[in-house]
């Protein structure tokens, strides 16, 4: 039994570390974060979900892997990824991926470890410009760079909502699938904290500006989200990302910091 516990702890690599996962950039995000679960564990769980999501989409004939819409998103992703080292050096070696799912869903995410998902619904229904796509994608990438998902899973772990036994479940087992679904709840379903949102806004704004996308795209896209959230059926994205006047005010206040980066940025 004792040996099993030891193996389990080693597998999960439970650790209590308090540090900032990212460098501050010009926007100056540098809060210390409490992490109780290893990045590796969270990435593994996220990958189980991502693989399953893409497999399901493929089976349904909804996974878009070529064509104008896919190429457009891929171009934005490639340009943004060139600048992730502004915030953390190791992210240049991440296995970045992009999944485009053809569904009328207003949502976009970036899973831990750099696994981006966009739905055609968010691009089409909000009639997103490239600058606006870059702002949403930059924001989502920032959540991943900053490991906000890992922070939330750590909090769930501290509250015993997720156990080390679940996190250490054998690969491809039913138990692992269940644990991954539990983790997904903390990664994608619960609304982000205001603080995490502010951090992702700031870092996403800088990423987009450095990649040569007009930072004002962040203002216009959140206005579109705001209009959307006043509708009867709140979209997935607005339920996890409350769009309020504070967010737009904060983004507007940060424009002078990032505009010089946009002005000198390469458009490639
Ligand atoms: Zn967010």
């Amino acid at each position: 039994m004792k040996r099993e516990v030891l193996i389990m702890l080693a597998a999960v690599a439970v650790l209590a570390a308090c540090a900032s996962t990212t460098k501050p950039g010009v926007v100056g995000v540098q809060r210390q974060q409490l992490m109780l679960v290893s990045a590796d564990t969270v990435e593994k769980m996220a990958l189980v979900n991502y693989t399953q999501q893409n497999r399901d989409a493929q089976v349904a004939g909804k996974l878009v892997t070529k064509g104008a819409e896919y190429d457009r998103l891929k171009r934005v992703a490639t340009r943004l990824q060139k600048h992730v080292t502004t915030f953390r050096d190791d992210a240049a070696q991440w296995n970045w991926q992009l999944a485009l799912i053809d569904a009328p869903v207003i949502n976009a995410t970036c899973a831990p470890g750099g696994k981006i998902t966009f739905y055609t619904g968010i691009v089409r229904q909000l009639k997103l410009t490239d600058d606006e796509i870059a702002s949403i994608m930059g924001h989502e990438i920032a959540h991943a760079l900053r490991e906000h998902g890992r922070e939330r899973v750590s909090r769930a772990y501290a509250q015993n909502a997720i156990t080390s036994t679940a996190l250490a479940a054998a690969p491809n087992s039913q138990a692992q699938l269940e644990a991954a679904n539990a983790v997904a709840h903390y990664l994608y379903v619960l609304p982000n904290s205001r603080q995490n949102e502010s951090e992702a806004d700031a870092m996403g704004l800088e990423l987009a500006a450095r990649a040569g996308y007009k930072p004002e795209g962040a203002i216009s896209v959140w206005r579109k989200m705001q209009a959307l959230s006043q509708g009867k059926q709140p979209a997935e994205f607005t339920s996890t990302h409350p769009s309020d006047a504070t967010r737009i005010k904060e983004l507007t206040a940060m424009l002078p910091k990032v505009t010089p980066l946009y002005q000198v940025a390469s458009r490639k």
Side-chain angles (χ1 to χ4, degrees), residues 15 23 25 34 45 123 134 144 176-178 191 213 255 263:
L15 32 96
K23 300 182 277 182
L34 179 67
M45 290 289 154
V123 181
Q176 192 194 45
L177 208 60
E178 280 164 20
Y213 293 103
L255 288 180
Q263 285 162 344

Side-chain angles (χ1 to χ4, degrees), residues 136 139-140 143 148 192-193 196-198 200-201 222 237 240-242 247:
I136 294 176
H139 175 103
E140 290 307 310
H143 276 308
H148 285 148
N192 293 292
S193 72
N196 286 5
E197 282 304 299
S198 293
D201 275 344
W222 287 111
F237 198 82
T240 50
H241 290 81
R247 187 193 293 271

Side-chain angles (χ1 to χ4, degrees), residues 7 11 21 35 62 64 69 118 136 142 151 155 172-173 190 230 248 251 260 263 267:
I7 291 168
T21 50
M35 299 297 195
K62 301 287 184 194
V64 185
E69 278 183 308
F118 258 73
I136 294 176
E151 263 188 276
R155 213 165 301 134
N172 303 317
S173 65
L190 294 179
Q230 280 152 8
I248 293 171
L251 282 163
Q263 285 162 344
R267 304 288 188 269

Side-chain angles (χ1 to χ4, degrees), residues 12-13 15 21 35-46 88 90 94 112-113 147 150 154:
V12 181
L15 32 96
T21 50
M35 299 297 195
L36 302 171
V37 178
S38 76
D40 191 47
T41 301
V42 175
E43 276 178 37
K44 258 185 216 147
M45 290 289 154
R88 53 188 296 170
D90 66 335
W94 285 6
E147 297 188 66
R150 184 176 161 213
S154 293

Side-chain angles (χ1 to χ4, degrees), residues 92-109:
Q93 277 79 52
W94 285 6
N95 179 17
W96 290 90
Q97 289 182 39
L98 170 70
L100 175 60
I101 298 175
D102 186 14
V105 174
I106 302 193
N107 206 8
T109 55

Side-chain angles (χ1 to χ4, degrees), residues 12-259:
V12 181
V14 174
L15 32 96
C18 206
S20 179
T21 50
T22 49
K23 300 182 277 182
V26 301
V27 290
V29 171
Q30 50 194 340
R31 176 180 55 90
Q32 301 280 296
Q33 301 165 278
L34 179 67
M35 299 297 195
L36 302 171
V37 178
S38 76
D40 191 47
T41 301
V42 175
E43 276 178 37
K44 258 185 216 147
M45 290 289 154
L47 190 59
V48 171
N49 291 317
Y50 192 72
T51 308
Q52 194 187 16
Q53 164 202 281
N54 295 345
R55 200 185 297 134
D56 290 350
Q58 194 169 26
V59 168
K62 301 287 184 194
L63 189 66
V64 185
T65 55
K66 56 180 193 292
E69 278 183 308
Y70 180 82
D71 291 346
R72 185 180 180 212
L73 288 167
K74 188 77 191 166
R75 256 194 314 274
V76 177
T78 306
R79 270 168 63 172
L80 290 172
Q81 280 154 28
K82 282 185 189 151
H83 298 278
V84 292
T85 49
T86 301
F87 295 108
R88 53 188 296 170
D89 296 324
D90 66 335
Q93 277 79 52
W94 285 6
N95 179 17
W96 290 90
Q97 289 182 39
L98 170 70
L100 175 60
I101 298 175
D102 186 14
V105 174
I106 302 193
N107 206 8
T109 55
C110 181
K115 309 290 186 279
I116 302 165
T117 300
F118 258 73
Y119 290 88
T120 52
I122 194 168
V123 181
R124 291 180 194 168
Q125 291 183 48
L126 293 184
K127 297 188 171 56
L128 297 180
T129 63
D130 281 8
D131 296 325
E132 291 169 344
I133 291 175
S135 115
I136 294 176
M137 203 183 279
H139 175 103
E140 290 307 310
I141 287 175
H143 276 308
L145 293 175
R146 190 85 188 118
E147 297 188 66
H148 285 148
R150 184 176 161 213
E151 263 188 276
R152 302 168 79 188
V153 172
S154 293
R155 213 165 301 134
Y157 179 83
Q159 293 161 353
N160 280 322
I162 294 178
T163 65
S164 48
T165 316
L167 292 174
N172 303 317
S173 65
Q174 183 60 28
Q176 192 194 45
L177 208 60
E178 280 164 20
N181 283 335
V183 166
H185 183 71
Y186 294 95
L187 295 182
Y188 310 114
V189 182
L190 294 179
N192 293 292
S193 72
R194 191 69 203 90
Q195 188 175 44
N196 286 5
E197 282 304 299
S198 293
E199 291 179 356
D201 275 344
M203 290 167 62
L205 196 67
E206 180 167 344
L207 277 177
R210 286 185 184 274
Y213 293 103
K214 226 180 258 151
E216 282 82 0
I219 315 288
S220 58
V221 81
W222 287 111
R223 288 231 168 90
K224 287 181 182 179
M225 294 283 184
Q226 207 170 24
L228 195 72
S229 62
Q230 280 152 8
K232 281 188 198 121
Q233 282 264 298
E236 283 79 357
F237 198 82
T238 53
S239 75
T240 50
H241 290 81
S243 176
D244 45 36
T246 315
R247 187 193 293 271
I248 293 171
K249 216 167 98 184
E250 281 181 10
L251 282 163
T252 309
M254 272 185 288
L255 288 180
K257 272 189 190 167
V258 297
T259 299

